[in-house]
Amino acid sequence: MADNARAKKLADLIREVVAEKLQRGIKDPRLGSHVTITDTRVTGDLREATVFYTVYGDDEDRENAARGLESAKGVLRSAVGAAAGVKFTPTLAFVADALPENAKTIENLLDRARASDAKVREASSGADYAGEADPYRKPGDDEAGDAAE
């Protein structure tokens, strides 16, 4: 089993080689310039690599990019093997990164929170305190309250 530093170095190398090959070496129109490699992870035994990617576009573009990456898997693995110089070139698995969907969900939640805050701010704009403006006792208040009784 390899150490984590070696796996991290190999993962970084795979990410760079795959991104470079997608940009300059693969002529598949399904991949184009709208595919971005976001992360790469390698198992501890350096046998399998998971490459995370995002696609700029709609669902059809994402499906086409997934098919294009699957068809180019052999060429990309050969390029990784040539660059890495390891005994066994890791198999590549491409996984669509959930980061854009998560970011969109968070953005929607923040928009709902802003709208809710605006409603509360609007409702409380002309409101008065339920009691006194300063509900806390002060040291001199106890003596004044006892003298009044």
Side-chain angles (χ1 to χ4, degrees), residues 36 66 133:
T36 304

Side-chain angles (χ1 to χ4, degrees), residues 13-98:
L13 178 71
I14 291 171
R15 186 183 71 237
E16 291 172 13
V17 168
V18 169
E20 182 71 25
K21 193 72 173 169
L22 285 176
Q23 187 175 14
R24 297 206 173 121
I26 305 288
K27 302 296 184 214
D28 193 339
R30 297 176 289 188
L31 299 175
S33 62
H34 56 275
V35 176
T36 304
I37 304 300
T38 57
D39 192 19
T40 306
R41 296 189 184 145
V42 178
T43 58
D45 61 356
L46 306 179
R47 296 284 182 155
E48 298 173 8
T50 305
V51 180
F52 295 92
Y53 67 94
T54 59
V55 179
Y56 181 74
D58 56 3
D59 289 336
E60 183 179 342
D61 291 335
R62 289 184 192 100
E63 290 173 14
N64 287 337
R67 285 194 295 274
L69 287 170
E70 279 300 314
S71 70
K73 190 184 285 190
V75 173
L76 294 171
R77 186 172 180 220
S78 297
V80 167
V86 292
K87 184 176 181 179
F88 181 82
T89 303
T91 59
L92 302 178
F94 293 96
V95 176
D97 200 351

